[in-house]
């Protein structure tokens, strides 16, 4: 099927000379220009400027002014109203945003429209609700009274200021929303730095935010690569950094945040997430679970399952059926609604996955299916299942962030806690069984920020999300995010 026509507004948007969005307006930018490449064709589709110190200074100054001004002084209900309007606008412009997202990231159009845009609106509405529910508490101190004086105390939640949000390329709309909507809900202001590969949707959303009534300076976007991110994180005007990306970059961000100052930091990092199937799971559910956990968005999801543990009595039939499923996936243009499996998001990622395939071939790993790049334009690889026979096999421990499931057989369910915990990461895990009691007994033994039972990958704005161990620090969503974006001030009164 041919690629569907671009919406006129998308074609016009791509033609623009993109730079940054600072203080309520598009700024062309003076830095180097970066090509934005369509992963399905490897052809450039747009250009964007990379932010240098001048643009970062301007964005942070605008965020600080809005914090001291219109947004910092806005009543909670006004903040909620603006976020709700932005949710409506994102839905109204959903087709346009989905096309731009698919063109820049290779995400299937249906996933962009039906999942990412819908979830972005849901998260905005969740944070809008939180804006009017930022509560302190009243406390009765036990200070002795010598002259009949009394004491009372209360706490206030106060926004920390201008917040930097650093976003990776896999969900450039949704992860940006997690960061700026939580900041704006609490009364903070935001400077978002999208990935150099996928900045276009955020530039468009910043325009919609202005239309939604979010005042100039409250939400800014600076584009560029790691250097731009580094400058933003090191900027003295930034009161908090919320970073999502790799462990290696997260460590650099953490160091910058504690270098001569103390800047609050939330780090959402990588994972090598385990998926354990108990022997009682029917084959169809197991297959569905493996596809849900490991192969959505070509595996480019931080919480995706990459280590699969299957009882020895079931592993052969499962891998045979999985290989048959993976081999028949319709691989192709993510803009084509009939495509089931698209390209990887960018060339460096393709190169990384190709190197992992070579490693698998070199170290004697059994390649059940896939294990190769595809000879066609764009950044395509075959969905891949690997079988290893040792718990210390390297591919069971290296994060691939791609469509590579690595499978190991176990003999006894007592092995599962050690197998599940056997990496330095701890983002997420899932346990699949018909015996809920067995799953619930495993939950406290798994060191991960999220444990799913009979599901994987799906997140909800009401449920906190974040990593244990090397997978990060802090929590987003739920009510947990409030701790990270507000200072808890205690007020004590003698009367
Ligand atoms: P990176 O860590 O390479 O980059 C993440 C972001 O940080 C990008 O915007 C990047 O810019 C920017 N950046 C790079 N260097 C610096 C620096 N020194 N200071 C500040 N910012 C910097 O990750 P990827 O974009 O490659 O994303 C994939 C990784 O993200 C995977 O490891 C995955 O596990 C993790 N991830 C975690 C999630 C979670 O919620 N825990 C969710 C999604 C992904 P640029 O891209 O332009 O280099």
């Amino acid at each position: 099927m041919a690629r569907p026509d671009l919406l006129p507004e998308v074609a016009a948007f791509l033609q623009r000379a993109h730079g940054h969005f600072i203080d309520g307006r598009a700024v062309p930018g003076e830095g180097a220009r970066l090509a934005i490449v369509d992963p399905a064709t490897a052809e450039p589709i747009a250009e964007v400027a990379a932010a240098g110190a001048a643009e970062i200074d301007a964005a942070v100054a605008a965020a600080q002014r809005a914090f001291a001004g219109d947004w910092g002084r806005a009543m909670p209900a006004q903040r909620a109203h603006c976020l709700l309007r932005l949710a409506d606008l994102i839905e109204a412009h959903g087709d346009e945003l989905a096309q731009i997202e698919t063109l820049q990231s290779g995400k299937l159009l249906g996933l962009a429209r039906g999942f990412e845009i819908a979830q972005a609106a849901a998260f905005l509405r969740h944070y809008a609700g939180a804006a009017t529910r930022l509560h302190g508490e009243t406390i009765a101190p036990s200070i002795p009274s010598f002259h009949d004086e009394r004491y009372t105390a209360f706490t206030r939640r106060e926004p920390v200021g201008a917040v930097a949000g650093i976003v990776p390329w896999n969900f450039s709309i949704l992860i940006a929303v997690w960061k700026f909507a939580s900041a704006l809900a609490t009364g903070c202001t935001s400077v978002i730095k999208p990935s150099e590969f996928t900045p276009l949707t955020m530039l468009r959303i910043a325009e919609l935010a202005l239309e939604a009534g979010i005042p100039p300076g409250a939400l800014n976007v600076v584009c560029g690569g790691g250097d731009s991110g580094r400058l933003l994180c090191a900027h003295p005007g930034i009161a908090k950094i919320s970073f999502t990306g790799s462990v290696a970059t997260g460590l650099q961000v953490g160091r910058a945040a504690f270098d001569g100052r103390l800047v609050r930091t939330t780090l959402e990092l990588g994972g090598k997430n385990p998926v354990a199937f108990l022997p009682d799971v029917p084959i169809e559910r197991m297959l569905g679970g493996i596809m849900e956990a490991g192969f959505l968005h070509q595996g480019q999801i931080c919480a995706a399952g990459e280590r699969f543990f299957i009882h020895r009595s079931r592993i052969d039939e499962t891998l045979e059926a999985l290989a048959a499923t993976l081999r028949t996936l319709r691989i192709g243009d993510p803009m084509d609604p009939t495509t089931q499996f698209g390209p990887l998001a960018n060339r460096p990622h393709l190169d990384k996955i190709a190197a992992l395939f070579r490693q698998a071939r070199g170290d004697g790993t059994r390649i059940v299916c896939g294990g190769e790049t595809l000879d066609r334009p764009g950044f395509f690889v075959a969905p891949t299942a690997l079988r290893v026979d040792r718990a210390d096999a390297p591919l069971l421990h290296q994060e691939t962030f791609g469509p590579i499931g690595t499978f190991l057989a176990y003999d006894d369910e007592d092995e599962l806690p050690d197998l599940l915990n056997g990496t330095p990461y701890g983002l997420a895990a899932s346990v699949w069984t018909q015996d809920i009691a067995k799953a619930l007994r495993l939950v406290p033994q798994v060191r991960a920020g999220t444990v799913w039972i009979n599901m994987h990958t799906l997140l909800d704005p009401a449920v906190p999300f974040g990593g244990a161990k090397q997978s990060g620090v802090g929590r987003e969503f739920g009510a947990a995010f409030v701790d990270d974006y507000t200072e808890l001030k205690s007020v004590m009164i003698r009367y």
Side-chain angles (χ1 to χ4, degrees):
M1 188 171 165
R3 174 169 275 203
D5 289 339
L6 292 188
L7 294 166
E9 57 270 40
V10 172
F13 180 80
L14 295 178
Q15 292 303 315
R16 289 204 229 160
H18 294 288
H20 319 286
F21 192 86
I22 298 173
D23 211 9
R25 60 195 184 86
V27 174
E30 289 167 5
R33 300 202 65 77
L34 308 172
I36 308 303
V37 171
D38 176 353
T41 61
E43 297 293 334
I45 52 163
E47 271 193 357
V48 73
E55 285 101 353
I56 303 284
D57 278 346
V60 175
Q64 287 181 309
R65 278 196 301 279
F67 180 66
D70 285 352
W71 193 253
R73 285 203 284 265
M75 286 199 294
Q78 281 173 276
R79 300 200 300 265
H81 182 67
C82 291
L83 293 175
L84 290 172
R85 285 189 57 193
L86 180 56
D88 292 345
L89 281 170
I90 284 181
E91 274 178 343
H93 290 264
D95 291 336
E96 171 193 349
L97 288 167
Q99 282 200 349
I100 300 171
E101 176 59 19
T102 293
L103 288 172
Q104 71 175 356
S105 73
K107 183 175 294 149
L108 296 185
L109 191 63
L111 188 63
R113 183 70 180 95
F115 174 76
E116 186 164 17
I117 307 280
Q119 282 293 94
F123 274 80
L124 275 160
R125 292 185 179 118
H126 172 81
Y127 287 117
T132 55
R133 289 175 185 74
L134 301 172
H135 297 150
E137 54 184 351
T138 56
I139 302 155
S142 300
I143 300 170
S145 170
F146 296 106
H147 304 289
D148 199 30
E149 71 272 31
R150 298 278 192 277
Y151 295 88
T152 190
F154 64 91
T155 57
R156 289 168 49 79
R157 289 272 175 197
E158 298 184 350
V160 295
V163 175
I166 312 274
V167 179
W169 42 256
N170 62 335
F171 283 94
S172 65
I173 300 174
L174 192 51
I175 296 178
V177 163
W178 296 352
K179 299 195 183 309
F180 77 72
S182 48
L184 295 177
T186 54
C188 296
T189 53
S190 176
V191 181
I192 294 288
K193 207 296 280 175
S195 164
E196 64 187 299
F197 299 105
T198 55
L200 298 175
T201 40
M202 192 54 219
L203 288 169
R204 184 69 187 108
I205 285 171
E207 295 175 343
L208 296 177
L210 196 66
E211 204 178 318
I214 294 172
L219 175 59
N220 308 278
V221 183
V222 287
C223 296
D227 285 342
S228 311
R230 202 173 298 115
L231 284 170
L232 179 59
C233 292
H235 197 288
I238 288 297
K240 173 191 157 56
I241 303 165
S242 176
F243 171 85
T244 298
S246 61
V247 173
T249 312
L251 287 171
Q252 290 181 37
V253 169
R255 273 186 222 113
F258 278 61
D259 184 14
R261 61 197 180 131
L262 288 174
V263 176
R264 285 159 177 257
T265 313
T266 308
L267 300 173
E268 296 281 355
L269 307 179
K272 185 75 184 174
N273 307 296
V275 182
F277 291 99
L278 272 55
D280 62 1
V281 184
I283 184 87
E284 305 74 36
R285 285 197 75 194
M286 218 163 0
L287 278 181
I290 294 166
M291 296 305 292
E292 176 183 330
F295 293 94
L296 278 179
H297 192 23
Q298 290 77 259
Q300 303 166 122
I301 302 180
C302 54
E306 292 204 7
R307 296 186 295 136
F308 293 86
F309 303 110
I310 297 182
H311 194 265
R312 196 171 300 282
S313 63
R314 309 286 311 282
I315 194 163
D316 289 336
E317 59 163 336
T318 307
L319 288 180
E320 203 175 305
L322 178 65
T325 303
L326 294 179
R327 285 192 189 109
T328 53
L329 286 180
R330 276 191 301 281
I331 300 176
D333 184 354
M335 293 285 279
D336 177 345
T338 65
T339 296
Q340 295 173 310
F341 191 86
L344 298 178
N346 52 66
R347 185 172 296 284
H349 197 45
L350 174 75
D351 293 344
K352 174 184 157 183
I353 297 295
L356 287 166
F357 289 155
R358 286 195 294 278
Q359 178 182 330
R361 264 182 244 114
D363 72 8
T365 299
R366 191 176 134 202
I367 298 174
V368 178
C369 67
E372 59 197 0
T373 56
L374 300 186
D375 187 17
R376 54 191 291 172
F379 311 138
F380 288 89
V381 301
T384 297
L386 306 176
R387 181 165 178 181
V388 295
D389 55 13
R390 293 192 341 256
D392 62 354
L395 283 158
L396 211 48
H397 298 273
Q398 291 163 260
E399 186 194 33
T400 73
F401 208 58
I404 306 179
T406 303
F407 293 77
L408 178 72
Y410 68 88
D411 295 295
D412 191 319
E413 288 169 32
D414 291 344
E415 297 168 39
L416 287 176
D418 282 347
L419 289 174
L420 290 165
N421 291 327
T423 75
Y425 297 110
L427 187 59
S430 67
V431 176
W432 300 68
T433 174
Q434 309 207 66
D435 185 341
I436 195 76
K438 277 189 180 173
L440 289 173
R441 279 165 208 265
L442 261 174
V443 167
Q445 302 180 66
V446 181
R447 292 192 59 208
T450 297
V451 180
W452 287 289
I453 299 174
N454 295 333
M455 61 182 287
H456 199 110
T457 306
L458 299 176
L459 303 177
D460 184 275
V463 182
F465 178 69
K469 302 197 285 183
Q470 298 296 303
S471 288
V473 177
R475 291 291 178 271
E476 300 190 299
F477 319 167
F481 79 94
V482 174
D483 290 342
D484 285 347
Y485 286 87
T486 58
E487 198 70 70
L488 190 60
K489 180 178 281 176
S490 297
V491 182
M492 295 184 72
I493 305 167
R494 181 190 284 147
Y495 64 96

